Structures are given as structure tokens and as C-alpha cells.
């Protein structure tokens, strides 16, 4: 009887172990998703949980491992897509030479601020061990905080430059639009002028013809009567004056 039940017991134990492993796996996934979302997103090293100065091969391996762990298709956690996107952006940043150099410079600036605050030098034991596992935890935390401050300042400066650039581009665009509108109005004026050309020529011809007609038969009548003009009227006046005299 006992021998017959042993396979059933083993099966139950395996199912229980599988359930525990699955629960542990889900716990690890949720914990990693939570860690990624809490990491400062402008610090790609923090998102990937890596230290500055590591080789590209380590970046690739770490990203591959974490992306498989928190992939949205492999977990029911609703925050998985956001965490996966941040992970991907962090990996892209560190694999881009220009972006990684900028981030490394910001971290180096934060390190210098830390050294000045504590009056350390590059040869100080604390600074030599700060990037190691056995380094001072408080100094590491302060370095992280100062890194965040530097990155925030850099991001604010970048956005300000983008805003100024957009404003300048907006002014240039308005200037170009105004020039285009001015040229458009000039073209429309030229087209309308050309369209009414024949009408203007016809009107001038009619006016000229009317003036010629008046010039042929129409002398102005003076006081002396029709057809005699002004001189005839003046002569008649003189004759009347003589008779009266």
C-alpha cells in the first residue's frame, strides 16, 4: 500500500516545488520591475544596475538577462511594459558612444562635487574604493544623489536650449511665411494687371476717339453766336460801340 502511494506523493511534491519556484520567479520579476521603475531614468547605469566603466559585453549580457526576466509576455505585472521600455532605453543610451560619454561626464562631475564636499583627492582611499563592492555605502549613496542633481541640471539646460531653438525656428518660419505671402500678393497683382490690360487699352481708345470727334466739329461757341467763335463776338461788340458813338 505504501509503495503504491509513493509515486503520488512524489508527484504532489513536484507540483508543490514547481508552484514555489513559479511564485519565487514571479516575486523576482515583480521586484526587478519595481527596482527599474524606481531607478532614476536619466541614469542608464542605475536602470540596468551597473557601475560606470563596464565593457559593452557586460551591458549586452545584463540587458539580455533582465529583458527576459521582465518581458511583458512572461509576466502578468501591469507595470512590466513601462519597465521594459525603460530598460530598452537605458541599453540604447549605453550602447551609443555619444550618449554614454555625456552620461559618464555627468557622473564624473558628480564625483568631483563629492570630492570637494569631503575634501578628498583622487588618491584618497575612500574615492579609490567608492566604485567597488566594499566601498562606503553612504558615499555611494551620496554620489548617486549628486549624479541625479547633475543630470537634472543638464536636462533642464538641454530643454532650455531646445525651447530657444524652437522659438528661433518659429521666428524664421514666420519670416519665411510672410515673404511667401508677400510674393504671392505680388504675383496676384501682376496677374490681375495683365488680365485687365485689354480693358484698359480699350478704355483709352474710346477716350481718344471721343476727343478726336470733338476736335473736328466742335469749336467752342463764343458770345458772337454759333460758328463764329470768341473773336467774332468781340468784333460785333466793337461795331456796336462805333454806332453808338
Amino acid at each position: 500500500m505504501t509503495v503504491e502511494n509513493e509515486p503520488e506523493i512524489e508527484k504532489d511534491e513536484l507540483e508543490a516545488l514547481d508552484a514555489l519556484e513559479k511564485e519565487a520567479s514571479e516575486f523576482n520579476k515583480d521586484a526587478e520591475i519595481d527596482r527599474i521603475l524606481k531607478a532614476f531614468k536619466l541614469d542608464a547605469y542605475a536602470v540596468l544596475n551597473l557601475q560606470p566603466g563596464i565593457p559593452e559585453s557586460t551591458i549586452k549580457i545584463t540587458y539580455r538577462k533582465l529583458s527576459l526576466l521582465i518581458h511583458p509576455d512572461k509576466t502578468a505585472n501591469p507595470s512590466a511594459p513601462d519597465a521594459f521600455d525603460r530598460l530598452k532605453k537605458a541599453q540604447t543610451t549605453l550602447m551609443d558612444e555619444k550618449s554614454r560619454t555625456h552620461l559618464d561626464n555627468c557622473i564624473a562631475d558628480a564625483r568631483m562635487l563629492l570630492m570637494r564636499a569631503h575634501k578628498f583627492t583622487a588618491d584618497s582611499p575612500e574615492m579609490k574604493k567608492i566604485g567597488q563592492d566594499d566601498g562606503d555605502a553612504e558615499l555611494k549613496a551620496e554620489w548617486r544623489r549628486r549624479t541625479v542633481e547633475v543630470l537634472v541640471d543638464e536636462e533642464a539646460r538641454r530643454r532650455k536650449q531646445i525651447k530657444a531653438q524652437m522659438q528661433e525656428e518659429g521666428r524664421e518660419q514666420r519670416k519665411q511665411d510672410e515673404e511667401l505671402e508677400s510674393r504671392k500678393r505680388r504675383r496676384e497683382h501682376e496677374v490681375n494687371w495683365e488680365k485687365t490690360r485689354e480693358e484698359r487699352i480699350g478704355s483709352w481708345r474710346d477716350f481718344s476717339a471721343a476727343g478726336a470727334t470733338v476736335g473736328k466739329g466742335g469749336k467752342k461757341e463764343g458770345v458772337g453766336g454759333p460758328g463764329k467763335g470768341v473773336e467774332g463776338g468781340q468784333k460785333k461788340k466793337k461795331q456796336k460801340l462805333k454806332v453808338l458813338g
Side-chain angles (χ1 to χ4, degrees), residues 37 44 50 65 80 91 119 123 125 129 135 137 155 159 161 164 170 174 176 186-187 197 200 208 211 225 235:
L37 293 177
L50 295 172
K65 178 182 176 181
Q91 186 258 359
K119 297 181 180 179
D123 295 327
K129 296 178 65 176
E155 180 65 13
R159 292 186 180 186
Q161 290 175 348
R174 286 193 295 271
Q176 292 177 10
R186 286 198 299 269
R187 284 196 301 270
R197 182 171 178 272
R200 293 195 308 276
S208 299
K235 288 181 180 179

Side-chain angles (χ1 to χ4, degrees), residues 54-70:
I54 45 90
E56 286 189 1
S57 58
T58 303
I59 297 172
K60 292 178 180 178
I61 293 172
T62 303
Y63 170 73
R64 178 67 176 169
K65 178 182 176 181
L66 294 179
S67 64
L68 289 173
L69 178 64
I70 68 164

Side-chain angles (χ1 to χ4, degrees), residues 159-219:
R159 292 186 180 186
K160 187 176 180 180
Q161 290 175 348
I162 291 175
K163 184 178 179 181
Q165 183 179 354
M166 290 178 65
Q167 290 175 343
E168 182 62 27
E169 289 175 353
R171 284 192 290 269
E172 288 295 325
Q173 186 62 47
R174 286 193 295 271
K175 184 178 178 180
Q176 292 177 10
D177 292 343
E178 290 173 358
E179 290 177 353
L180 287 173
E181 185 64 26
S182 178
R183 286 198 295 269
K184 181 181 177 182
R185 287 195 297 267
R186 286 198 299 269
R187 284 196 301 270
E188 290 176 351
H189 176 74
E190 290 171 358
V191 170
N192 292 332
W193 179 264
E194 190 63 27
K195 284 181 179 179
T196 58
R197 182 171 178 272
E198 292 298 327
E199 181 180 345
R200 293 195 308 276
I201 292 174
S203 299
W204 175 252
R205 286 173 179 168
D206 294 342
F207 176 76
S208 299
T213 302
V214 172
K216 286 181 179 180
K219 287 185 179 180

Side-chain angles (χ1 to χ4, degrees), residues 97-111:
E97 183 178 357
K98 184 178 179 181
S99 299
R100 185 178 180 181
T101 299
H102 174 72
L103 177 57
D104 288 342
N105 290 337
C106 290
I107 293 174
D109 290 343
R111 190 172 184 270

Side-chain angles (χ1 to χ4, degrees), residues 86-121:
R86 288 196 185 187
L87 195 68
K88 178 62 178 176
K89 289 178 181 177
Q91 186 258 359
T92 302
T93 297
L94 294 183
M95 294 304 293
D96 180 74
E97 183 178 357
K98 184 178 179 181
S99 299
R100 185 178 180 181
T101 299
H102 174 72
L103 177 57
D104 288 342
N105 290 337
C106 290
I107 293 174
D109 290 343
R111 190 172 184 270
M112 287 297 299
L113 292 173
L114 180 66
M115 291 170 59
R116 290 175 185 173
H118 294 275
K119 297 181 180 179
F120 291 148
T121 66

